[in-house]
Amino acid sequence: MERSAAIQGASFELARRRTEITGGLSAGLVELLVTAGVWSPGEALSHLPRLATELDRCGVLEYLVPLLPADLLAPALASVASVDDEWQRAELLEALAPHVPVEALAIAAAFGDEELRTGTMVRLAPHLPPEQLDEVLAAVLAAPREWDLRRLAPHLPADRLRTVLDAALSIFTPFWRGVVLADLAPLLPPDLRAEALAAAYAIAEPGPRSRALVGLVPHLAADERATAVEAALTAAVAIPFEHARFERLTELMPYLPALLHERAIAALSGFPPDGSRAAAAAGFAPHLEPDLRTAVMRQTLADTLTIAPGSARVARLLILLPHLPDDARAAARRQALADATTLPDDDLAARVNQPGLGRILRLAGVIPHLPPDERTAAVEQTYAAALAVTHAGARGAAMTALLPYLPEQHRDTALHLAVTGTRATRRDLWRARELFALAEHRPAEVLAEAVTLLGEPWRANLLAALPLPPDLLPEALAAALAITNPYWRTVALAGLTPNLPPDLRSQALDAAVAVLDDRRSRV
């Protein structure tokens, strides 16, 4: 039995949004009863008002619509239209669009929020018949939203591209005009593409101009491409913002002829060594002639080594490593290892806020770049440093980072410390996520920790999601049955039941039906 994406996906996030539930049916229970044959899809639809939250109602509707006979689609869609929160209704319509696209469009078109209405209609476009797309295009043009225009364009018939290009050319903001022209480039026929190219050249600001030209370049004829590439390079170099300049130059490199490489490389001097210079050089490297690539990477390495020792320099050395010549790569590895080894405890403190963990994380990042003989020693050294971390949560996180590299004799200890280290995590949501990530390695320990989670929502969702071997399923079922809140008990049962053997599955179904009977007796 497969669970629908709406209920299976993002279960911890859904739990976070439903922690205060005390009554009502869960989406998981309804789905469980349908998949087990206790209810027909039509019966489940009739129970929709008894579900605890709109999130549950939306999840059940998404699950049921593909299963319903044609005569029940109308009441199901009426239920969709009655969802109070328009944003939840929009998410639901997007999920239902492959099954009832025209009906979903009619509901979306009635939304009161203009931004939500237009955006939802655009997201439905891939599933709509051609005759409905004009309605979506009209909505986008009536409330000009550049983001929606560029998302809708790939789904429109060719005879509507003239209208879309006219809308793009009328965009007042140069940034968005450049973005939309770039996105339209692969869709346009030659005559419209020439018009888009002229509009790109006419953009005064270098950032948007380069964005539009880089998008158009791959689709131009050879004679047009040469001129456009040089113009795009001139504009990209003139972009005042480092990150945008880095992005545009890196995107342009595959199209630059060798005679323009020197101009692109000259732009590297405008990037500070502790900023994007290493990343830009690494992006340029695959497109350069060997001799020029070697010279550029050696110079970038020398510039990087002028940065003060610390995590920033380690990060940039790791970016450069794959592109360096052999002798420089060995020197860069040694420097990265030395820097990571000597990081002070408070390095990266703003990011991890746990003493000693920053150094371990940086060392774990260096390890995969080391040759086998150096790697063994580095792993042992880092493992010893991780064992010495005094904060249990930081020690556990350090062990998790090291797991891919540890030899067999250390894995048991590391995994145990990683699992038990989650107890230091203050919030059940975060702890549940950490335990889930470790479940494939230590399912028995993770299951034992799961039952200690204070919040039943997180315990239920963790039990529902854990990948457990058959011998642990009875224990997991017992833990699910021990959850006191009926709603969260059925969430756990719905996740576990599809994986249970027949005898345990019957027990789980009986428990789910008992919850249902209890709810009936209270009505």
Side-chain angles (χ1 to χ4, degrees), residues 61-375:
L61 281 166
E62 182 181 346
Y63 168 71
L64 287 178
V65 163
L67 306 177
L68 291 172
D71 61 324
L72 289 180
L73 283 176
L77 289 165
S79 297
V80 173
S82 69
V83 171
D84 291 332
D85 187 287
E86 282 193 343
W87 290 90
Q88 284 190 17
R89 204 184 316 157
E91 291 180 12
L92 177 58
L93 289 176
E94 191 173 354
L96 299 184
H99 310 288
V100 283
V102 176
E103 296 84 349
L105 180 64
I107 296 172
F111 284 174
D113 184 294
E114 181 183 74
E115 178 181 346
L116 181 62
R117 178 175 65 248
T118 308
T120 304
M121 293 174 74
V122 169
R123 287 192 292 275
L124 300 179
H127 309 286
L128 293 171
E131 60 270 17
Q132 301 295 138
L133 290 172
D134 278 340
E135 181 181 349
V136 182
L137 179 58
V140 171
L141 296 178
R145 284 172 42 78
E146 297 84 358
W147 184 260
D148 289 327
L149 186 66
R150 61 197 290 242
R151 287 190 299 175
L152 176 62
H155 307 293
L156 293 173
D159 60 358
R160 296 295 184 270
L161 292 176
R162 169 79 265 174
T163 302
V164 173
L165 179 59
D166 287 343
L169 297 180
S170 69
I171 294 172
F172 177 76
T173 307
F175 171 83
W176 280 112
R177 198 182 325 138
V179 168
V180 176
L181 287 172
D183 286 352
L184 290 179
L187 308 172
L188 298 174
D191 58 328
L192 296 183
R193 193 175 294 133
E195 194 172 334
L197 180 61
Y201 282 129
I203 297 174
E205 295 181 15
R209 182 166 72 251
S210 65
R211 174 71 173 263
L213 289 171
V214 170
L216 284 158
V217 159
H219 310 286
L220 299 176
D223 55 337
E224 291 179 314
R225 180 181 294 189
T227 304
V229 163
E230 187 164 3
L233 176 60
T234 300
V237 170
I239 295 173
F241 304 106
E242 176 190 332
H243 183 70
R245 186 165 72 250
F246 155 67
E247 280 191 342
R248 207 66 63 240
L249 286 168
T250 306
E251 291 170 357
L252 188 57
M253 279 303 297
Y255 307 108
L256 285 183
L259 59 89
L260 293 179
H261 284 174
E262 290 284 359
R263 282 181 59 187
I265 290 163
L268 286 177
S269 62
F271 295 108
D274 59 350
S276 301
R277 189 181 301 184
F284 289 6
H287 309 289
L288 302 176
E289 295 296 322
D291 290 346
L292 183 57
R293 178 169 64 245
T294 297
V296 168
M297 298 312 296
R298 286 188 186 280
Q299 183 59 53
T300 308
L301 174 60
D303 294 340
T304 302
L305 292 176
T306 64
I307 304 171
S311 61
R313 187 162 79 176
V314 175
R316 281 147 188 81
L317 288 170
L318 295 182
I319 290 171
L320 294 176
L321 275 175
H323 308 284
L324 292 170
D326 289 345
D327 59 330
R329 185 180 301 128
R333 275 198 308 259
R334 286 193 296 271
Q335 189 62 63
L337 182 60
D339 283 0
T341 303
T342 57
L343 285 174
D345 281 346
D346 59 353
D347 195 283
L348 291 182
R351 289 175 55 191
V352 298
N353 201 29
Q354 292 175 333
L357 182 55
R359 186 187 320 120
I360 306 298
L361 295 180
R362 275 294 177 233
L363 282 166
V366 174
I367 285 170
H369 297 278
L370 300 175
D373 55 333
E374 296 179 30
R375 182 182 300 184

